[in-house]
């Protein structure tokens, strides 16, 4: 082991010398931080970067991923010239093909979204594919999408190019320097120990790939990823193989093909993968340039499919059979951002075998995030704080990656639910919900009813890009809630408590609204970053004087808790009470009548006004009850201690029969919140938007004399012209699922893209295809949106009409 003369301190230490670590280091120096050290335990690329297939593609399954990939490719092209180092880029294009109607719909949806980012793309019929690429059997194809600007790169070339750029920016890179420990002091990163020497630093970034989970475990940090065995073969040289053959992705066969110096590389993303290092569950520290024994039996079915697609493979031998580890996450998205357990410790890992194609963008985002403390982009699907502790448990993650690896090439169905690692958190009345026909989905680990089957139908999803098999259930659930009363389970909602003499003062400083320190008062508010981006969407409830409960969405539990704690004074922390309470939403015009059957308390409008809360008694049990509603109807939220929840659920069901109560799922809730014009964080609002753009400026209190976080930025934004504005619209096509609005579909004025969608649902109550989105403000200002407005879905344009009020008008106060 070399004895390097390490600096005694640095501003940032990046751990890991693969493509991601080098990209982060490069971007930190590019953005002005030169006091950066990168430590690599062996040689640059020696972990998993070295054996990557090197595919670079601009198009991803979501808008955020597409932006990251497009930036990566653009960076590689530019940086080659800047630092005079070859990235081995070969822009031969990439062709994605579809064998089924559903896959063809999915590809056309992705092609439609790609237009938001000016990606060159051509849709080809199977005959056009055959004409351009006679090597391919196209008989069973529906069509394909060619992206001429895609291709492949040399993983080593990319990594060393980024490293060279980082060194030119002032960074120091040390190989053969394994980090022994991450040093933590008072809950904050203090430094690293490497080769027996301490290096003090302000920030540490773990870009340690498949080692990340076990590194985090040593210091109590949850990093949910695990390596699976990943396979490809390289053939013998093939005579007359075109050197300009595009990368071919045959998703329905779980295979891909790449021309490789006169040979073909054939790789797979199979539906059921094999977890690596099964005997020990530990990635060896010295696993450099490591490979696993051949497993031809596992690969053979996919080789047969490959021969069907490219018959030339039947007559060529295999030169190299590769099997090596690649780390995968629970949802096939990367893990980025500051971890909640240790301040100033960032991660950038879990690239799910697409590290080369995403490396540039991931490095950029990580550097920006570290330097500013937040990121003004909608990348929650990459934020490590979308996960909880249990997600990194071996029992969970090893089971999940057997499925998630294959999801890269699997169908990205709307509303798709995972089959592995289920039933982690069951509600106390789970069996009762199941007996009523609940189809369960996972929400923050909870098994949560998505919809309830009718008339003996199977409570199972039949996935589609058009009509959904749960539509009849949602039609009944939403209509019955509108006419009678619906029971919604809201238990996974995130719930935090803050109890201190300083709690009100602190909340005033981090919330946009004027938080009322009056027992029972509920305040809808937001928390912002210093640039005015929307970081949280939540309700603050005063349970007692200087005792508050904060309620936010289920998916953002760890993220919201982190944001709140980060901005509270050092001696204050919120208490997470999410799992202590089950929450029942009783909504609809007969909800008060039902509660009056359950409780003797005075629930009249005069004594229990909207946006207030209090204890009521049901069956000798005190239950904190809030008069709030996310569906736009009169309603109440009941916070019941989990030990009492089964009994209270049974009482609600029993008394509910009088009022024709229906169990309702999350699809009904989401539909009704859109009918009421309510926005959802992560879909309709994010740090990319500000409250003026989103039409939520009513949550800003200018009366309170507090310089709350983001106030200064809001003052500047208020005096500037908005770039975009939130919009609600309905399609003139009013058949359910024809077409299916989801999100990230382009919005057109005539033939010009002027915005994008963020949410969609079919409203059975109003017989409308309903959508939310953002449109460039200049089109509002010039009053151009009365006609010639379209949404494009699957390359077809549909005429839409803007609506200036929600479909459902709410009158909470006088209900």
């Amino acid at each position: 082991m070399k004895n390097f003369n390490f600096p005694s301190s640095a501003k940032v230490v990046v751990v890991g010398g693969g493509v991601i670590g080098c990209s982060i280091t490069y971007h930190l120096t590019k953005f002005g931080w030169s006091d950066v050290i990168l430590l690599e335990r062996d040689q640059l690329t020696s972990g998993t970067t070295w054996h990557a297939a090197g595919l670079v593609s601009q198009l991803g399954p979501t808008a955020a991923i597409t932006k990251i990939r497009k930036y990566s490719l653009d960076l590689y092209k530019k940086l080659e010239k800047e630092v005079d180092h070859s990235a081995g880029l070969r822009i031969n294009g990439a062709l994605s093909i579809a064998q089924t109607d559903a896959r063809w719909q999915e590809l056309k949806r992705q092609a439609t979204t790609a237009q938001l980012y000016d990606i060159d793309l051509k849709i080809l019929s199977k005959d056009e594919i055959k004409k351009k690429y006679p090597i391919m059997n196209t008989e069973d194809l529906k069509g394909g999408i060619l992206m001429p600007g895609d291709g492949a790169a040399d993983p080593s070339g990319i990594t060393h190019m980024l490293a060279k750029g980082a060194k030119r920016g002032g960074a120091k890179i040390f190989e053969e320097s394994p980090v022994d420990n991450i040093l933590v002091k008072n809950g904050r990163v203090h430094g690293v120990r490497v080769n027996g020497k301490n290096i003090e630093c302000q920030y540490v970034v773990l870009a340690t790939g498949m080692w990340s989970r076990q590194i985090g475990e040593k210091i109590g940090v949850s990093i949910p990823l695990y390596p699976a065995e990943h396979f490809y073969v390289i053939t013998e040289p093939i005579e007359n193989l075109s050197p300009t053959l595009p990368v071919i992705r045959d998703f329905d066969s779980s295979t891909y093909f790449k021309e490789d110096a006169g040979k073909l590389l054939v790789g797979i993303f199979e539906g059921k993968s094999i977890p690596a290092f099964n005997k020990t569950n530990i990635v060896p520290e010295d696993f450099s340039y490591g490979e696993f024994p051949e497993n031809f039996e596992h690969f053979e079915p996919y080789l047969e499919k490959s021969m069907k697609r490219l018959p030339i493979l039947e007559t060529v031998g295999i030169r190299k059979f590769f099997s090596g580890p690649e780390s995968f996450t629970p949802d096939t998205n990367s893990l980025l951002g500051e971890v909640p357990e240790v301040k100033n410790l960032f991660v950038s890992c879990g690239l799910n075998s697409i590290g080369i194609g995403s490396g540039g963008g991931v490095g950029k985002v990580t550097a920006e995030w570290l330097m500013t403390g937040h990121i003004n982009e909608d990348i929650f699907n990459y934020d490590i704080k979308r996960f909880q502790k249990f997600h990194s448990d071996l029992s969970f993650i090893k089971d999940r990656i057997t499925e998630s690896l294959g999801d890269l090439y699997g169908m990205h169905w709307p509303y798709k639910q995972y089959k592995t690692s289920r039933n982690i958190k069951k509600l106390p009345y789970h069996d009762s919900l199941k007996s009523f026909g609940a189809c369960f989905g996972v929400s923050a680990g909870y098994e949560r009813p998505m919809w309830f089957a009718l008339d003996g139908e199977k409570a199972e999803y039949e996935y589609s890009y058009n009509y959904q098999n749960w539509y009849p259930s949602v039609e009944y659930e939403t209509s019955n809630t509108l006419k009678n009363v619906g029971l919604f389970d809201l238990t996974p909602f995130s719930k935090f408590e803050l109890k201190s003499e300083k709690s009100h003062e602190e909340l005033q400083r981090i919330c946009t609204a004027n938080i009322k320190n009056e027992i029972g008062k509920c305040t809808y508010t937001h928390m912002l970053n210093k640039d005015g981006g929307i970081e949280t969407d939540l309700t603050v409830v005063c349970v007692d004087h200087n005792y508050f409960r904060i309620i936010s969405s289920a998916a953002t539990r760890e993220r919201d808790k982190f944001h709140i704690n980060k901005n509270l004074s050092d001696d204050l922390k919120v208490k997470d009470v999410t799992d202590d309470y089950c929450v029942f939403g009783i909504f609809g015009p007969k909800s008060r009548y039902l509660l009056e059957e359950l409780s003797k308390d005075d629930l009249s409008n005069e004594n229990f006004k909207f946006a207030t809360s209090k204890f009521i008694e049901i069956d000798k049990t005190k239950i904190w009850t809030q008069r709030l509603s996310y569906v736009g109807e009169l309603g109440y939220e009941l916070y019941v201690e989990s030990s009492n929840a089964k009994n209270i659920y049974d009482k609600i069901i029993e008394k509910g029969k009088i009022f024709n109560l229906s169990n309702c799922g999350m699809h009904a809730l989401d539909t009704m919140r859109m009918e009421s014009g309510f926005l959802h964080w992560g879909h309709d609002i994010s740090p990319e938007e500000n409250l003026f753009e989103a039409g939520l400026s009513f949550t800003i209190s200018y009366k309170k004399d507090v310089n709350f976080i983001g106030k200064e930025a809001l003052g500047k934004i208020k005096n500037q012209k908005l770039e975009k504005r939130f919009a609600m619209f309905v399609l003139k096509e009013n058949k359910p699922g024809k077409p299916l609005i989801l999100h990230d579909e382009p919005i057109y004025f005539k033939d010009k893209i002027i915005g994008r969608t963020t949410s969609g649902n079919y409203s059975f109550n109003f017989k409308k295809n309903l959508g939310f989105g953002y449109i460039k403000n200049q089109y509002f200002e010039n009053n151009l949106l009365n006609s010639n407005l379209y949404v494009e879905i699957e390359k077809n344009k549909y005429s839409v009409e803007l609506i200036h009020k929600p479909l459902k008008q709410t009158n909470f106060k006088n209900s």
Side-chain angles (χ1 to χ4, degrees):
M1 185 179 292
K2 293 181 180 178
N3 186 20
F4 292 109
N5 186 23
F6 296 112
S8 60
S9 66
K11 192 175 188 72
V12 186
V13 172
V14 178
V15 185
V19 65
I20 304 303
C22 290
S23 179
I24 295 163
T25 308
Y26 163 76
H27 281 94
L28 285 169
T29 61
K30 179 183 178 183
F31 298 153
W33 283 15
S34 59
D35 188 13
V36 183
I37 295 172
L38 184 148
L39 300 172
E40 161 55 38
R41 63 183 181 84
D42 195 343
Q43 303 288 313
L44 296 185
T45 78
S46 63
T48 58
T49 297
W50 72 274
H51 65 65
L55 307 187
V56 285
S57 172
Q58 301 163 89
L59 186 58
T62 68
I65 294 171
T66 296
K67 284 164 70 174
I68 281 174
R69 291 185 184 179
K70 188 173 189 298
Y71 172 86
S72 299
L73 183 53
D74 291 343
L75 171 71
Y76 300 158
K77 290 177 183 175
K78 185 177 70 171
L79 199 58
E80 271 192 321
K81 298 173 184 175
E82 282 185 14
V83 303
D84 190 26
H85 189 101
S86 173
L89 278 172
R90 293 192 306 132
I91 308 302
N92 286 355
L95 175 67
S96 296
I97 57 178
Q99 297 178 29
T100 65
D101 289 332
R103 180 71 71 178
W104 189 219
Q105 283 184 278
E106 179 176 289
L107 290 182
K108 286 188 287 186
R109 280 181 174 267
Q110 290 183 12
T112 305
T113 297
Q115 294 168 157
L116 293 168
Y117 303 100
D118 299 321
I119 294 175
D120 184 18
L121 187 146
K122 295 176 173 58
I123 294 181
L124 305 179
S125 69
K126 69 176 186 179
D127 293 336
E128 289 172 317
I129 294 171
K130 185 66 177 178
K131 188 175 180 180
K132 285 178 76 73
Y133 311 108
I135 190 176
M136 193 187 308
N137 172 17
T138 62
E139 288 180 8
D140 60 342
L141 297 185
K142 302 294 179 180
I145 294 175
L146 177 67
M147 288 148 285
D150 286 8
D154 170 27
S156 178
I158 292 282
T159 305
H160 284 90
M161 176 183 71
L162 289 163
K164 187 175 180 181
K167 288 176 182 176
R168 284 178 54 168
K172 297 180 177 66
I173 296 177
F174 296 94
E175 296 179 295
E176 297 182 38
S177 302
V179 171
D180 304 316
N181 289 303
I182 309 295
L183 306 178
V184 178
K185 189 175 182 180
N186 299 324
R188 182 186 297 270
V189 158
H190 177 59
V192 300
R193 187 165 183 80
V194 54
N195 285 358
K197 180 177 179 179
N198 289 356
I199 302 175
E200 291 186 3
C201 62
Q202 294 178 41
Y203 301 90
V204 170
V205 187
L206 292 180
T208 42
M210 62 181 174
W211 286 271
S212 300
R213 182 191 164 278
Q214 59 203 49
I215 291 172
E217 194 173 38
K218 290 179 182 177
I219 54 172
V221 171
S222 173
I223 303 177
L225 55 73
Y226 194 84
E229 296 185 17
H230 191 44
F231 304 89
Y232 60 74
V233 298
I234 299 175
T235 69
E236 296 287 353
I238 298 174
E239 191 176 350
N240 298 323
L241 181 66
S242 170
T244 61
L245 186 74
V247 172
I248 299 167
R249 293 183 175 90
D250 187 354
F251 294 111
D252 295 310
S253 295
S254 306
T255 58
Y256 65 91
F257 310 90
K258 183 189 81 163
E259 192 275 337
D260 189 271
K263 305 177 285 292
L264 268 177
L265 182 151
V266 181
I268 65 172
F269 285 98
E270 67 274 31
K272 187 172 175 59
S273 72
I274 304 171
F277 308 108
N278 261 322
K279 289 184 179 179
T280 62
N281 298 322
I282 294 172
V283 184
E285 297 292 336
D286 60 352
F287 197 82
S288 297
Y289 302 106
E291 299 186 41
F292 298 137
E294 292 183 6
N295 187 342
F296 194 77
E297 184 180 354
H298 185 79
F299 194 87
E300 189 175 21
Y302 304 96
L303 186 58
E304 290 175 0
K305 292 178 182 180
S306 301
M307 291 176 179
K308 180 182 175 184
R309 183 62 56 219
L310 300 180
I312 197 170
L313 290 171
E314 294 176 3
T315 59
V316 67
I318 293 175
R319 171 170 287 191
K320 169 71 175 175
F321 187 108
F322 175 80
S323 174
E326 283 278 3
S327 62
F328 291 84
T329 66
D331 61 0
T332 68
N333 283 327
S334 301
L335 305 174
L336 308 183
E338 190 174 0
V339 303
E341 299 93 343
V342 178
K343 288 183 180 178
N344 291 355
L345 176 62
F346 283 72
V347 294
S348 194
C349 53
L351 270 293
N352 301 280
S353 201
I354 49 175
I356 304 302
S358 300
V362 162
K364 170 181 177 285
V365 166
T366 302
E368 289 175 339
W369 205 332
L370 187 150
M371 295 172 78
T372 63
H374 62 272
I375 193 81
N376 291 324
E377 293 185 47
D378 180 12
I379 57 166
F380 177 60
N381 60 343
Y382 270 17
D383 191 337
I384 189 171
K385 293 176 287 296
R386 70 189 184 274
F387 292 119
Q388 297 175 42
K389 282 276 189 187
F390 72 86
H391 285 108
S392 64
D393 290 347
L394 275 173
S395 58
F396 179 94
I397 191 65
K398 284 189 69 176
D399 187 28
R400 174 55 61 82
I401 66 157
T402 65
E403 181 178 5
S404 62
L405 180 148
D407 268 358
L408 283 172
Y409 274 28
M411 288 294 297
H412 299 96
W413 292 115
Y415 319 111
K416 184 178 179 181
Q417 300 294 326
Y418 282 99
K419 295 178 179 178
T420 52
S421 300
R422 292 292 296 268
N423 297 313
I424 304 297
K425 296 183 183 181
K426 286 186 179 181
L427 298 164
Y429 35 91
H430 177 91
D431 291 340
S432 297
L433 293 168
K434 189 174 181 179
S435 72
F436 285 117
C439 177
F440 292 98
V442 178
S443 179
Y446 282 95
E447 294 293 324
R448 190 180 195 184
M450 302 302 293
W451 50 280
F452 288 81
L454 299 172
D455 304 323
E457 293 287 328
K458 277 189 175 181
E460 295 176 8
Y461 278 100
E462 294 173 11
Y463 296 116
S464 171
Y465 275 109
N466 291 114
Y467 186 90
Q468 306 292 298
N469 73 311
W470 43 264
Y471 275 4
S473 295
V474 170
E475 181 173 16
Y476 169 69
E477 292 167 22
T478 56
S479 131
N480 191 66
T481 300
L482 202 64
K483 294 174 188 173
N484 297 300
V485 60
L487 174 61
F488 296 77
D489 189 84
L490 309 178
T491 300
F493 275 8
S494 303
K495 302 174 277 290
F496 316 115
E497 292 188 348
L498 188 63
K499 192 187 297 188
S500 161
E501 287 302 312
K502 294 166 57 179
S503 58
H504 180 250
E505 174 189 338
E506 293 278 308
L507 286 170
Q508 288 285 65
R509 188 175 54 79
I510 63 177
C511 294
T512 59
N514 186 26
I515 306 302
K516 300 169 185 68
N517 197 8
E518 301 172 39
I519 297 172
K521 291 291 185 179
C522 306
T523 309
Y524 174 56
T525 187
H526 295 92
M527 296 179 185
L528 312 177
N529 60 46
K530 65 182 180 182
D531 298 324
I534 304 170
E535 293 286 344
T536 70
D537 178 75
L538 39 78
T539 300
V540 177
V541 181
C542 183
V543 180
D544 205 340
H545 187 66
N546 272 322
Y547 172 19
F548 296 89
R549 185 173 292 152
I550 302 166
I551 300 141
S552 66
S553 74
T556 56
R557 178 177 176 178
E558 292 300 324
R559 188 185 187 281
D560 288 353
K561 180 167 55 178
F562 172 84
H563 179 82
I564 296 166
N565 282 333
K566 181 179 178 181
N567 289 290
L568 291 175
S569 298
D570 288 342
D571 58 335
L572 278 184
K573 289 285 181 289
V574 293
K575 180 183 179 184
D576 190 335
V577 296
T578 302
D579 299 330
D580 296 351
Y581 297 94
C582 291
V583 184
F584 300 114
I586 299 177
F587 303 132
K590 296 180 181 177
S591 57
R592 181 181 286 122
Y593 302 141
L594 171 54
L595 273 191
E596 287 173 340
E597 284 288 328
L598 291 162
S599 175
K600 294 178 181 178
D601 289 88
D602 186 349
L603 303 173
S604 64
N605 190 48
E606 295 72 26
N607 285 283
F608 200 171
K609 295 185 182 298
F610 174 70
T612 65
S613 47
K614 64 181 182 180
F615 281 109
I616 68 171
E617 190 172 291
I618 298 176
D619 196 34
K620 299 180 181 178
T621 303
K622 283 180 69 177
I623 296 171
W624 184 260
T625 303
Q626 299 172 178
R627 193 176 149 197
L628 296 171
S629 170
Y630 196 45
V631 304
E633 290 296 312
L634 172 68
Y636 305 84
E637 297 174 357
L638 278 61
Y639 285 70
V640 185
E641 290 183 7
S642 296
S643 58
N644 297 323
K646 174 66 167 64
N647 176 54
I648 298 302
Y649 175 83
D650 291 341
K651 296 291 181 189
I652 294 170
I653 293 296
E654 180 187 341
K655 294 295 184 182
K657 293 174 184 175
I658 305 169
F659 306 103
N660 197 29
L661 174 125
S662 57
N663 280 292
C664 301
M666 290 305 99
H667 287 307
L669 185 80
D670 194 50
T671 300
M672 296 188 79
R673 69 96 184 167
M674 287 190 67
E675 291 172 342
S676 304
F678 299 153
L679 281 65
H680 185 272
W681 195 97
H683 284 91
D684 311 307
I685 48 176
S686 76
E688 275 192 29
E689 288 77 40
N690 63 62
L691 294 171
F692 298 105
E693 292 172 334
L696 295 170
S697 58
F698 65 87
T699 71
I700 307 169
S701 172
Y702 296 104
K703 292 181 180 178
K704 66 176 183 179
D705 187 22
V706 178
N707 188 26
F708 60 83
I709 296 170
K711 184 177 183 179
E712 187 177 332
L714 289 180
K716 293 176 183 176
I717 294 166
K718 189 179 181 182
N719 295 321
Q720 297 171 349
K721 279 194 173 183
L722 296 179
E723 292 186 8
K724 61 184 180 181
R725 273 172 60 184
F726 177 74
M728 298 181 287
F729 57 88
V730 293
L731 268 62
K732 293 180 181 177
E733 295 272 346
N734 283 323
K735 293 181 180 178
K738 295 183 179 180
L740 183 69
I741 309 173
L742 293 171
H743 51 78
D744 292 324
E745 294 103 355
I747 301 173
Y748 281 82
F749 174 67
K750 296 182 179 177
D751 59 353
K752 186 176 180 64
I753 294 175
I754 61 168
R756 67 178 180 92
T757 63
T758 56
S759 289
N761 260 314
Y762 185 79
S763 166
F764 290 96
N765 287 326
F766 296 89
K767 304 291 186 289
K768 300 281 188 184
N769 271 307
L770 174 61
F772 288 175
Y774 285 88
I775 291 174
K776 290 180 181 177
N777 191 42
Q778 68 192 71
Y779 291 88
F780 283 102
E781 289 181 332
N782 297 326
N783 199 28
L784 295 172
L785 300 176
N786 295 324
S787 60
N788 297 312
L789 199 61
Y790 305 91
V791 168
E792 187 172 18
I793 302 170
E794 294 175 23
K795 299 302 293 179
N796 292 311
K797 288 181 182 174
Y798 297 88
S799 185
V800 305
E801 176 187 349
L802 284 188
I803 55 175
H804 301 288
K805 292 181 180 179
L807 292 177
K808 181 165 55 186
Q809 300 303 303
T810 58
N811 186 17
F812 294 125
K813 293 184 179 180
N814 299 317
S815 296

